[in-house]
Amino acid sequence: NRRSPLYTFFILSILLILACKYAAKQDQPTISIKDKPTTEMPIPVLPAAPGDYAEDWKIVDSLERQGLFKSALERVEAIQAKAANDKNHPQTVKALLYRGKYTTQLEEDGFVKAIQMFESETAGAKYPEKAVLQSILGQLYTTYLSNQGWRINDRTPIPDGEGGDILTWSAAQIEKRALEYYSASVSQESVLRNTPVESFRDILTPSQGDTVNGQVLRPTLFDLLAHRALEQFANERSWLNEPAYAFQIDQAAAFSPADDFVKTPFESKDSTSGKWLAIRLFQRILDNPEKGTAPVIVADLLRLQFVHNSSVREDKDSLYRISLEALHRKYSDRPADSEIAYQLALLLYGLEAENDKGQNAAAAVALCEDAIKRHPETYGAALCRNLLVSIRATSLNITVEDVSLPQEKALVLVQFRNLDKIYVKVVKGNFDPDFMTEVPYEKQLTRILSLPQVQSRQWPVKNPGDYKSHSTEIALEGLPPGQYWVLASETADFDSRNGIVAYTSYMVSNLAVVPFREKGDPNFVTVHRRSGAPLAGVNLEFFAPRYQRKNDKTVIKTAVSNSSGIAKPDLPDNTYSEVRASLNDDTLWVGSYSRYHDYNRREQRLQVHFFTDRSLYRPGQTVYFKGILFENDQDGKPQIVTGRAATVKFFDTNDQEKSRLQVRSNEFGTFNGAFTAPAAGLTG
């Protein structure tokens, strides 16, 4: 969706950043009144312009800063009375918002009481103030449900209708009430269309994207309230049960040009369907005689985005593309077209296929470049610039085998994007396993570059200009045995501030070491990496793991391979170590190895499975059960246990024993019996 539409009610800063207090854990048996989680309204940000009654609001602000919320509330109530007498609707709404905030801070269940206060004031309000209050109430209910849903969702709906108030309603009822208020807020369309949004400037906070080339996007109160309602209707909700006849956007006509779209009947049996309510409201918004203006163009674009996101049609991508292209052609000379171009470019870039050779991405780039050129100062142009950065972004990653043979070329897999050359460097390591220990990530590259360089080269890579990721292989020159780091960069200076630098380590060795077990004991076979021939005299050293040894690299155990290439270290049970192999000037870190006691004998213990005649019982009902006794043999296979005496106990929900039976398994390992469920007490 577009950025925050037009002037945003400054109540959004009050209502959309709400916190839940969790004073008591869910698993506690009781929650006192004081411990109930509450939804709070934080201190709002006032509009930049002081508006009417500026001196009175300065006093309110001063009292609030001193923490004198009760005095501030009294002052706000006086402002509301003055505004009501002056028929100053914006100031009346502003005062109500502050009353709600201070009520939340001062009273228990304050947020609920704030909602009830708004309900009372809305009932007696006149238009257009009433419509604004209805929109706020819809948001208050939604906010409460969002923050308290984890508790409310466990409430059981009342079959004969839900009386009472928000403290007893189910989540579905609260969600339904929010939808009703949002719908009611735009019901008096003619009154709202004749009310300039500027008349409510005292409770509006200007947004960066309120205009397109100086034209206001939500010029009337209807536009503003309608788009607030759309944000709620278009939101996927989980509180309402979806009926079998749920409304789905499956008509191609939903993508039609605006003139045809507003005439299309969209029928639904489900009057609470957010998608249906949104479609109907879009029809009302677009049925506007001022066609071709920025508000209508942007609203039409929002409609197409919504339909594309919500449609269940398999061809929705192609329908969306056709609609965007038609809208782009129709309004190419309007500043709002930059946003159409952005959405079309975003779609094309997202539709990038494996075999299209980058035509869609190239088209997206062309669209964005053209939009920026024609309408450089618009919001859509800013979006296009960001998209171009994403499309043209470079990427670089390298992968190399852990171990290569001495003096033979080592292949490096290079994965890259939007690059035509890379710089490669190899430096000599020192086999120190703690070389990078406790080195902050941002300093690792500097640490590696401090090692002596042994190779350096620039490699050209083929960039087909399709903005996709590609891969190729490069061959490093052969090196003597040792440990090395290979680095790849898009810049010659290998400075991560100027471009991507990828790095990884690898070893060069003739050694290969394979662990195996013999009668539960750890052994290692050492062979030549190329020929597989066994190697005698290979020294294996076992070090404590890094988290244990700190700076102490003392060898725990050593072992030397025999003429068959086998080394048998005498490692104690429950040992975890890091292994290093060496033969003359050839060294190889094998990795980690653990030895734990092998419990070959499987645990044998008596087990039972119960079966009952039903899954749920009423109080006082008979519980018939059957059980089977078994235990696992040496191979872990279950075997029935016959002729075994056992005691079966019956507990209530408080883990209090209510009854017991003595039973004995028959020749099939089974037994049976019955209990009577408690007729009184807690169920569970």
Side-chain angles (χ1 to χ4, degrees), residues 487-663:
L487 304 95
S489 173
E490 60 177 307
T491 60
D493 57 9
F494 287 83
D495 189 335
S496 59
R497 294 171 298 183
N498 301 327
I500 301 173
V501 181
Y503 53 85
T504 187
S505 64
Y506 73 106
M507 289 176 284
V508 176
S509 175
N510 283 310
L511 303 177
V513 181
V514 182
F516 70 98
R517 290 182 179 273
E518 185 177 35
K519 296 181 180 180
D521 294 325
N523 294 321
F524 295 83
V525 57
T526 60
V527 298
H528 192 280
R529 181 166 292 274
R530 174 186 289 281
S531 66
L535 294 176
V538 177
N539 185 44
L540 297 183
E541 298 171 290
F542 297 82
F543 298 87
R546 187 174 304 161
Y547 67 88
Q548 291 182 356
R549 68 173 180 259
K550 296 182 179 179
N551 294 324
D552 182 11
K553 297 184 178 61
T554 304
V555 175
I556 300 174
K557 287 286 183 180
T558 61
V560 179
S561 62
N562 59 23
S563 58
S564 299
I566 296 176
K568 297 185 176 184
D570 184 19
L571 291 173
D573 288 340
N574 303 322
T575 298
Y576 180 84
S577 57
E578 295 178 0
V579 187
R580 183 173 68 188
S582 58
L583 180 64
N584 301 324
D585 61 348
D586 196 346
T587 301
L588 176 71
W589 275 98
V590 179
S592 59
Y593 182 80
S594 59
R595 181 193 179 179
Y596 294 99
H597 184 71
D598 185 12
Y599 295 92
N600 287 321
R601 183 178 181 276
R602 295 182 180 271
E603 181 182 11
Q604 292 179 272
R605 64 184 179 87
L606 193 64
Q607 300 181 62
V608 62
H609 275 317
F610 281 105
F611 304 89
T612 57
D613 63 320
R614 62 187 64 196
S615 59
L616 189 68
Y617 297 88
R618 296 189 303 273
Q621 195 170 9
T622 302
V623 180
Y624 296 97
F625 67 88
K626 187 172 185 177
I628 180 170
L629 286 173
F630 66 94
E631 61 183 7
N632 293 330
D633 61 16
Q634 292 284 354
D635 297 325
K637 297 179 180 179
Q639 303 292 329
I640 63 171
V641 177
T642 62
R644 179 71 63 89
T647 301
V648 181
K649 299 179 182 180
F650 186 56
F651 295 86
D652 66 11
T653 190
N654 290 324
D655 288 330
Q656 301 295 317
E657 183 179 330
K658 307 302 291 185
S659 184
R660 65 171 61 194
L661 285 177
Q662 299 296 325
V663 298

Side-chain angles (χ1 to χ4, degrees), residues 264-411:
T264 303
F266 293 93
E267 304 297 336
S268 175
K269 296 180 181 179
D270 180 14
S271 61
T272 64
S273 168
K275 292 183 177 67
W276 181 69
L277 292 170
I279 282 285
R280 295 288 297 271
L281 188 50
F282 269 121
Q283 288 182 312
R284 294 169 61 189
I285 293 172
L286 295 175
D287 190 13
N288 190 324
E290 298 184 4
K291 303 183 186 303
T293 60
V296 178
I297 295 173
V298 172
D300 199 13
L301 180 59
L302 287 174
R303 183 261 304 190
L304 292 175
Q305 289 176 250
F306 166 73
V307 172
H308 178 241
N309 292 333
S310 305
S311 176
V312 295
R313 295 181 62 92
E314 292 185 359
D315 61 345
K316 66 177 185 178
D317 286 343
S318 61
L319 290 173
Y320 183 46
R321 178 175 180 173
I322 292 170
S323 300
L324 287 178
E325 289 174 340
L327 205 63
H328 176 54
R329 289 192 300 270
K330 185 174 182 179
Y331 298 116
S332 61
D333 61 333
R334 311 295 173 87
D337 178 57
S338 61
E339 295 187 38
I340 303 172
Y342 166 74
Q343 292 297 338
L344 182 54
L346 189 64
L347 174 69
L348 292 174
Y349 186 53
L351 293 177
E352 191 72 19
E354 289 297 326
N355 57 353
D356 68 355
K357 299 182 180 180
Q359 296 98 324
N360 286 340
V365 170
L367 277 167
C368 285
E369 290 177 337
D370 181 58
I372 294 169
K373 181 180 179 180
R374 289 184 294 111
H375 310 292
E377 303 302 323
T378 59
Y379 175 70
L383 293 175
C384 282
R385 291 186 186 95
N386 291 335
L387 182 57
L388 286 176
V389 170
S390 176
I391 296 175
R392 292 167 172 166
T394 59
S395 65
L396 178 61
N397 187 50
I398 58 173
T399 306
V400 64
E401 290 284 351
D402 290 337
V403 186
S404 296
L405 287 165
Q407 305 304 338
E408 293 196 7
K409 293 183 181 295
L411 293 179

Side-chain angles (χ1 to χ4, degrees), residues 39-325:
T39 301
E40 294 186 343
M41 295 185 186
I43 297 173
V45 178
L46 285 168
D52 297 330
Y53 313 141
E55 294 302 318
D56 292 313
W57 285 113
K58 285 181 181 178
I59 296 173
V60 172
D61 182 61
S62 175
L63 292 170
E64 183 175 311
R65 290 177 184 276
Q66 299 175 62
L68 304 175
F69 301 119
K70 187 173 182 180
S71 298
L73 175 59
E74 293 171 353
R75 193 75 185 187
V76 168
E77 289 171 342
I79 295 174
Q80 182 182 346
K82 184 191 296 187
N85 185 61
D86 296 342
K87 293 184 171 39
N88 190 326
H89 302 308
Q91 287 293 321
T92 300
V93 175
K94 181 176 179 179
L96 287 172
L97 289 168
Y98 272 82
R99 280 182 61 191
K101 182 180 70 168
Y102 296 138
T103 298
T104 299
Q105 292 171 328
L106 292 169
E107 298 192 35
E108 188 177 336
D109 282 328
F111 194 85
V112 174
K113 291 179 180 177
I115 291 177
Q116 293 168 344
M117 181 265 291
F118 267 92
E119 292 264 16
S120 176
E121 296 287 347
T122 302
K126 304 295 183 182
Y127 284 95
E129 175 189 324
K130 188 183 187 76
V132 175
L133 294 178
Q134 288 169 330
S135 182
I136 293 172
L137 267 170
Q139 188 173 1
L140 287 173
Y141 274 107
T142 301
T143 300
Y144 182 80
L145 184 56
S146 176
N147 287 347
Q148 302 293 330
W150 64 275
R151 317 175 52 235
I152 298 170
N153 205 34
D154 291 334
R155 295 177 186 170
T156 303
I158 301 172
D160 298 329
E162 302 195 20
D165 55 25
I166 194 172
L167 290 173
T168 59
W169 286 347
S170 66
Q173 175 66 13
I174 297 173
E175 176 65 34
K176 182 180 177 183
R177 180 59 63 92
L179 292 174
E180 289 172 350
Y181 271 119
Y182 275 116
S183 296
S185 71
V186 292
S187 61
Q188 300 293 323
E189 185 173 336
S190 60
V191 175
L192 299 176
R193 284 195 183 275
N194 290 319
T195 305
V197 74
E198 180 66 16
S199 63
F200 278 82
R201 64 183 181 278
D202 285 0
I203 56 170
L204 300 175
T205 301
S207 174
Q208 183 181 5
D210 290 341
T211 62
V212 171
N213 201 33
Q215 187 172 10
V216 175
L217 287 178
R218 310 284 185 263
T220 71
L221 194 56
F222 174 76
D223 295 310
L224 180 58
L225 298 182
H227 282 277
R228 279 173 52 81
L230 281 174
E231 290 181 5
Q232 175 67 12
F233 296 159
N235 180 36
E236 293 288 345
R237 302 178 306 281
S238 59
W239 308 109
L240 293 176
N241 293 325
E242 191 173 79
Y245 48 81
F247 175 76
Q248 290 185 327
I249 301 178
D250 55 6
Q251 306 95 322
F255 293 90
S256 299
D259 290 342
D260 298 327
F261 168 75
V262 297
K263 299 174 185 176
T264 303
F266 293 93
E267 304 297 336
S268 175
K269 296 180 181 179
D270 180 14
S271 61
T272 64
S273 168
K275 292 183 177 67
W276 181 69
L277 292 170
I279 282 285
R280 295 288 297 271
L281 188 50
F282 269 121
Q283 288 182 312
R284 294 169 61 189
I285 293 172
L286 295 175
D287 190 13
N288 190 324
E290 298 184 4
K291 303 183 186 303
T293 60
V296 178
I297 295 173
V298 172
D300 199 13
L301 180 59
L302 287 174
R303 183 261 304 190
L304 292 175
Q305 289 176 250
F306 166 73
V307 172
H308 178 241
N309 292 333
S310 305
S311 176
V312 295
R313 295 181 62 92
E314 292 185 359
D315 61 345
K316 66 177 185 178
D317 286 343
S318 61
L319 290 173
Y320 183 46
R321 178 175 180 173
I322 292 170
S323 300
L324 287 178
E325 289 174 340

